[in-house]
Amino acid sequence: MTRENIRTPDGGTLELFSTGADLAAAGSGVVVVPASMVTAADYTRFAQKLSAALGRPVHTFNRRGRGSSSPQPEDYTLDVDIRDLDAVMKHTASTDVFGHSFGGAVALHAARTLPVERLAVYDPAVSVNHSVTADWTPEYERLTAAGDDDRALAVLVRGLETGSALSRMPLSMLTLANKLTAGTPVGKQLRELMQTGVREIKAIIAADMPAEPFLELPLETLIIVGEKSPAYFGVACGQIHDVLSGSSYTILPGMGHDGVNKAPDKLIDELSEFFAG
């Protein structure tokens, strides 16, 4: 795997990781757009397995606010990540894109205007006809303003519903769990990404639209939802699939929202077949 920093047209920096860079002669790569609350490192195993299956490079980058990439601007909107994805696609000469969760929402909105040939998403956190809500954000902001990051993080995790069993814990127990794990690598990462995660949720809601504009997506679009993932992912995906006649819709058995990071063979097989055309 290679690492480099690339410049964006607005003068920003993105930290880019390329797996299978020596396979570039076999064709353009696949760009992975990561979810909220994670970094590019969380996709290392996934990128390695997909690159090996395809025989092509897989490029993962730290979105703003992560690693050595530029900070996320205070006035952040989805357009920031869409422009950054465009920069990564151009730098790597890639036209295939895979997005996970929030990264899936970025990919779906971006592919309406960027030169994406094949698009695959897993549990995209896109809001269609108000399918995504976040009535917990005022409480989160009140807690962070008061300096109670442990409880604020608990409110965030419960609100996102993506932490499986954690998301269903009573708020008091989840707050205690956050206190106990504050010094662990996972606990530190969650705290570092709390503010970016909430900005991203707000951006998703601000970009809410009907399903019809997604008719501009590539004809070859693969939508995957984890069988055990929160239901709201399937609500938006079903509406997009209904209007996009060329899309394929798959429910991945036994997998939850973190299915991508676990990189099971059944997901790699599905994606490698799709991206191989």
Side-chain angles (χ1 to χ4, degrees):
M1 179 172 64
T2 63
R3 175 199 168 278
E4 60 182 317
N5 286 332
I6 67 172
R7 302 293 289 177
T8 59
D10 66 350
T13 299
L14 296 174
E15 187 177 23
L16 174 68
F17 300 87
S18 297
T19 301
D22 56 321
L23 302 171
S28 69
V30 177
V31 176
V32 176
V33 190
S36 290
M37 309 302 289
V38 295
T39 69
D42 294 299
Y43 293 87
T44 300
R45 184 180 180 213
F46 171 79
Q48 290 171 341
K49 291 184 68 173
L50 183 59
S51 176
L54 279 173
R56 291 163 53 197
V58 173
H59 309 284
T60 308
F61 64 103
N62 270 325
R63 294 191 294 101
R64 300 200 186 208
R66 298 154 177 82
S68 63
S69 295
S70 296
Q72 194 181 66
E74 292 292 332
D75 59 349
Y76 171 81
T77 67
L78 279 185
D79 287 339
V80 173
D81 270 310
I82 290 172
R83 290 192 296 268
D84 286 350
L85 174 57
D86 186 34
V88 172
M89 289 176 63
K90 287 176 178 174
H91 182 81
T92 60
S94 301
T95 55
D96 291 349
V97 173
F98 172 78
H100 174 214
S101 191
F102 176 82
V106 171
L108 284 168
H109 283 285
R112 295 172 53 227
T113 56
L114 300 187
V116 178
E117 291 187 6
R118 294 186 184 89
L119 170 66
V121 291
Y122 184 101
D123 280 0
V126 64
S127 187
V128 178
N129 293 318
H130 309 291
S131 60
V132 176
T133 59
D135 54 5
W136 49 268
T137 54
E139 176 68 1
Y140 167 88
E141 289 168 346
R142 183 188 69 78
L143 291 166
T144 53
D148 192 351
D149 285 353
D150 293 318
R151 194 169 180 86
L153 183 57
V155 169
L156 171 61
V157 171
R158 279 174 60 92
L160 294 177
E161 300 179 40
T162 55
S164 59
L166 281 176
S167 302
R168 297 189 293 272
M169 289 174 64
L171 197 61
S172 58
M173 290 182 63
L174 188 50
T175 301
L176 177 59
N178 289 334
K179 289 181 184 292
L180 295 175
T181 60
T184 67
V186 172
K188 290 177 180 178
Q189 178 170 296
L190 289 175
R191 279 164 175 73
E192 290 170 358
L193 297 177
M194 282 170 63
Q195 294 294 349
T196 62
V198 173
R199 283 196 198 106
E200 289 163 0
I201 283 290
K202 289 183 173 180
I204 287 170
I205 294 171
D208 179 89
M209 63 172 61
E212 285 72 21
F214 289 103
L215 282 168
E216 299 170 287
L217 288 173
L219 181 62
E220 294 186 77
T221 296
L222 172 63
I223 301 170
I224 306 174
V225 174
E227 181 186 27
K228 297 182 178 179
S229 298
Y232 67 86
F233 292 114
V235 172
C237 290
Q239 293 183 70
I240 293 173
H241 176 59
D242 285 345
V243 301
L244 195 62
S245 60
S247 66
S248 299
Y249 187 99
T250 298
I251 296 176
L252 199 66
M255 287 292 110
H257 190 63
D258 60 352
V260 176
N261 307 105
K262 291 181 176 179
D265 289 343
K266 52 192 170 185
L267 175 60
I268 298 301
D269 291 345
E270 183 91 22
L271 290 173
S272 61
E273 181 179 347
F274 173 74
F275 284 122

